[in-house]
Structure formats: structure tokens, C-alpha cells
Amino acid sequence: MTPVSITPLLKRLATLEAARQVSAEEIAAAVALVFTNDISAVQFALLLWALHTTGQDHKPAVLAACAASMRIAAAQVDQTKLQKVVRRKGMSEGRYGGGLCDIVGTGGDGHNTYNVSTTASILASAVLLIAKHGNNSSTSLSGSADLLQNAKPTPPVIAATTAENLPGVYEKSNYAFLYAREWHPGMRFAAATRKEVPVRTIFNLLGPLANPVHDTGLVEARILGVARCSIGHQFAEALRLSGARKALVVCGEEDLDEVSCAGPTRCWYIHETSNSSGQVNGDAGEKTEVVTDEFTLQPADFGLPTHPLHTVHGGKGPAENAEILLRILKNELPADDPVLHFVLINTAALLTASGVCEAEGEEVVKERGPGGLRWKEGLRRARWCVESGAALKQWEGFVGVTNELSGSGA
């Protein structure tokens, strides 16, 4: 098959002034050619380089449009079947409507910390319905998929969580890992060229925006970590343009793509405005507005001390990190362990952002912190996820169902 030429577009991306006139839709259409192998390696490399040098790959509209192209090319789940199982589970509580949630980072922060977002996603599945999008590592010692593939005593078969099988996975567990290599098959056509391009490109940024079930409308809340504070606002705006109505973009001030346990974390909180009664606008026919608030979080906002990042590196690779994961799930780490605190903070952030902490009850910690949210209640619930064994139960359900689906047996 003869590749499609994007020469006219590349010429327009050759200078900063001309590149400003190129629309996000034009760039996304060119990126879409990658997923069907309809662009030459040379022109693909030139496109990546042009987007990098002109700064187009950091513009919110471009990120949103290119992520949409990536999702369109992904494996497509049966939306009706998925919607039925989500509704049947009926996990709504507080201002959490029972929808799917994700916690993911761009990677590339260079800190090589423990797999905190992946572990946090598993812990949070005790309370939330999780659709964790992830892949093997490209820059760190241990990516999210690497961690799960090394789990003991029996790892989940993450490749079994396909578009066809996803509704069935949720019948047995609140947790699902959407393995990017399986859900985005067109990305294999980009791999060789990406390795040859000597800079981080737009493809290093699209993954967190390309959760393959996003367009079902069932993803309710997410945390997205970025590796540089300077791009936090762009990612928040890209999420908003993509239709997100409840999300938290975070970056530790050390340029860490997690909520930091070592000090301040910059946050961009995407949410719907509320009327005076505390209910989301739209219940009485009012127009709903999605806004982004900026604030800073500290470990103290969760009621925890700070820990230097060198204390939360975890193991030397995915096998050792998988051992730590199991110890956390079995509540075997000391209550003041730095890695445990790091995981609890990020679990609490996702729980808080989801709205579940707005539920009322005798045990609820009602104190509010930055953004007007109940971060300490999130921490209380995060500890419950571990100490009750509820997170371990969901993890074991995920391991069991994926092994059944693969035919290997748990």
C-alpha cells in the first residue's frame, strides 16, 4: 500500500509562524495515519520533530484531538454491555455516581519511585470501579504492566482484559487493567520510528489522555500526573476539551508525576460548578459549567508527614515492587512506612476527587482542605481499603477472572 503523503502539512509546520495556523484537527488527522500504517517512517519522524520544535505537541487542543484519534483507533468495547454491568454494580456514594475511574501519569519524571499510581488504583477498587490504563515501562525501572506481570503468587493475565471481555471482568471484580499494547494495536506501527527520534514526543504525552473506554461516557473521575509543572494547565485543558467533568491533574514540585509525599503538589482540579444547595447544576434545568481550579496540596492536608523521595524508590525492579504491592494489600507494612504513606496519599487523592468522600456518616472526617475537598476523609478511606482486606479481595478477583478468561486457571 502506498503511504499517504503529508508533505503539505509538514511544510506548514516548518516555521513557528506558519505552524500557528495549522489546526488541531489537521494534526490529529496526520497522527491517525500512524495507527493504520498509512504514513512513511520518514514523514512520521518529521511530523514528530515538527510538532516538538514548534511546541504544537503541548497545545491543549492538539493533545485532545490527537488523543481522540488514538482512542478511535483503539479496540472498542460494547458500550451497552459495559453500561449494564456498571449500573448493576451500583457503587454510587456521596457525589460519586458509580462510574469508572483511572489514575495515570505521563512518566518521564526521572525519579524512579515505586509504582504508586498502579498500587493506588488497586487499593481504590475497594470503593471505586477502576479502569486503569497502563503499559510496560519505556523510561522507568518498572511500569504499571511490569508490576502486575510480576505479581506473586499468581499474576493476573492482563492481556485477557480485552474489549470483548471487559464487562465480564467487572462481574468478578471492581478492578480492570486496560493493557495499552492490547487496546491500542495500531501503536505497534509507531514503535520503531519513536525509538529513533531523540526527544520526547507527543506520543509520550497521549497515553494518559487515551483511556480506551473514555468515549463510552462511563469514565467519571481520574487523576492524571504530569512530569513537569509547566504543562499541568495544558493537560487540564486537554482533559476538559476531551469532555472530562471530574479530574485532578497533579505534579509534585520536584517535577513528579504523582501527588508528592515529599512536599507541595501543584493541582488543577476540573469539576462542575455547584449551586447553593450543593447539588450539581442541571438538576433544575440550569446550565452546567465545567471549571478548573488551581491549588497546592501538602502531605499534611492528608494528615501525614513528609518523606524524601529517596525513601520511596521501592525495589530495584518490577519483581521487588510486586512483593511490596502484595505486602501493602495484606497490610504487612508498618503503619508509618514511607512507601505506604506515598500510596495512601495517592489513593486518598483519587477517592477524594471521585466525590465519594462527600458521603455523610458518623465516621466521616468532615474537615475540608485545598479546593474545598475532604482530603483527610480520603486518607481514612484509603487506610480502610487496606486494613479491611477489601482491596485484596478485589485484586484476587481480578487475578482469578483474568486467569479463567485466558484458560490458564488461577
Side-chain angles (χ1 to χ4, degrees):
M1 182 180 293
T2 304
V4 176
S5 173
I6 60 167
T7 298
L9 174 65
L10 292 172
K11 288 181 176 179
R12 293 169 62 203
L13 289 170
T15 66
L16 285 173
E17 184 175 352
R20 294 190 186 103
Q21 306 306 313
V22 178
S23 71
E25 291 72 24
E26 290 175 283
I27 294 171
V31 167
L33 296 173
V34 176
F35 307 126
T36 53
N37 202 25
D38 285 324
I39 186 173
S40 73
V42 171
Q43 291 213 329
F44 176 38
L46 287 171
L47 175 64
L48 294 177
W49 190 257
L51 295 176
H52 174 77
T53 56
T54 60
Q56 293 293 308
D57 57 2
H58 283 69
K59 288 193 172 181
V62 172
L63 288 169
C66 290
S69 290
M70 188 171 170
R71 295 194 304 267
I72 289 169
Q76 300 298 310
V77 68
D78 186 317
Q79 184 171 332
T80 301
K81 288 182 179 179
L82 184 59
Q83 187 175 56
K84 283 181 179 179
V85 72
V86 169
R87 287 179 175 174
R88 190 159 57 246
K89 292 186 83 76
M91 295 179 63
S92 60
E93 184 181 3
R95 292 185 183 171
Y96 169 54
L100 303 175
C101 301
D102 190 13
I103 176 170
V104 64
T106 60
D109 62 18
H111 290 293
N112 284 321
T113 53
Y114 172 74
N115 297 94
V116 64
S117 61
T118 307
T119 305
S121 71
I122 297 169
L123 265 56
S125 69
V127 178
L128 310 175
L129 201 54
I130 300 294
K132 167 64 177 159
H133 187 216
N135 209 348
N136 299 98
S137 174
S138 60
T139 56
S140 66
L141 292 174
S142 176
S144 55
D146 303 306
L147 175 74
L148 302 192
Q149 289 168 329
N150 281 272
K152 304 294 183 184
T154 303
V157 182
I158 57 176
T161 310
T162 62
E164 181 181 0
N165 291 337
L166 182 61
V169 170
Y170 284 129
E171 295 284 1
K172 301 293 182 67
S173 176
N174 296 338
Y175 189 79
F177 184 84
L178 311 184
Y179 190 19
R181 289 189 180 183
E182 297 295 325
W183 286 79
H184 298 285
M187 282 295 293
R188 69 185 187 276
F189 301 124
T193 300
R194 287 180 63 195
K195 288 180 180 178
E196 295 291 327
V197 177
V199 294
R200 288 179 64 82
T201 71
I202 192 169
F203 280 83
N204 294 99
L205 305 176
L206 292 181
L209 297 169
N211 188 308
V213 296
H214 170 89
D215 294 315
T216 64
L218 296 172
V219 179
E220 179 176 349
R222 76 197 83 198
I223 287 183
L224 194 162
V226 296
R228 297 200 309 280
C229 291
S230 60
I231 62 174
H233 176 74
Q234 287 96 318
F235 264 84
E237 182 62 10
L239 271 177
R240 193 189 66 80
L241 291 173
S242 298
R245 308 181 74 80
K246 189 189 292 183
L248 188 68
V249 177
V250 300
C251 185
E253 287 198 350
E254 314 88 349
D255 282 341
L256 176 75
D257 68 339
E258 317 280 2
V259 179
S260 179
C261 62
T265 296
R266 297 273 303 279
C267 300
W268 295 262
Y269 176 44
I270 302 162
H271 63 102
E272 293 178 319
T273 54
S274 300
N275 59 30
S276 57
S277 67
Q279 298 299 312
V280 175
N281 288 341
D283 290 337
E286 300 177 39
K287 183 179 179 181
T288 299
E289 182 182 7
V290 179
V291 298
T292 303
D293 295 335
E294 295 186 33
F295 52 82
T296 299
L297 273 177
Q298 300 268 6
D301 294 314
F302 298 90
L304 291 178
T306 59
H307 298 282
L309 290 186
H310 71 79
T311 65
V312 293
H313 282 168
K316 297 178 181 178
E320 291 186 19
N321 282 354
E323 292 177 6
I324 295 171
L325 166 63
L326 190 60
R327 292 188 67 197
I328 291 173
L329 288 171
K330 290 186 174 182
N331 195 26
E332 293 177 350
L333 288 186
D336 60 351
D337 184 88
V339 171
L340 177 61
H341 280 185
F342 193 20
V343 170
L344 289 175
I345 283 174
N346 281 270
T347 306
L350 180 58
L351 296 176
T352 305
S354 76
V356 75
C357 294
E358 296 303 314
E360 298 299 339
E362 292 184 4
E363 295 183 346
V364 170
V365 181
K366 298 182 179 180
E367 178 184 342
R368 297 188 181 275
L373 299 176
R374 294 173 171 174
W375 305 103
K376 289 181 180 177
E377 169 62 8
L379 199 285
R380 183 189 72 82
R381 285 176 175 262
R383 283 200 183 277
W384 175 87
C385 293
V386 175
E387 294 170 0
S388 67
L392 178 61
K393 179 180 178 180
Q394 297 305 323
W395 168 251
E396 290 174 341
F398 177 63
V399 171
V401 70
T402 56
N403 276 273
E404 289 173 14
L405 289 168
S406 71
S408 61

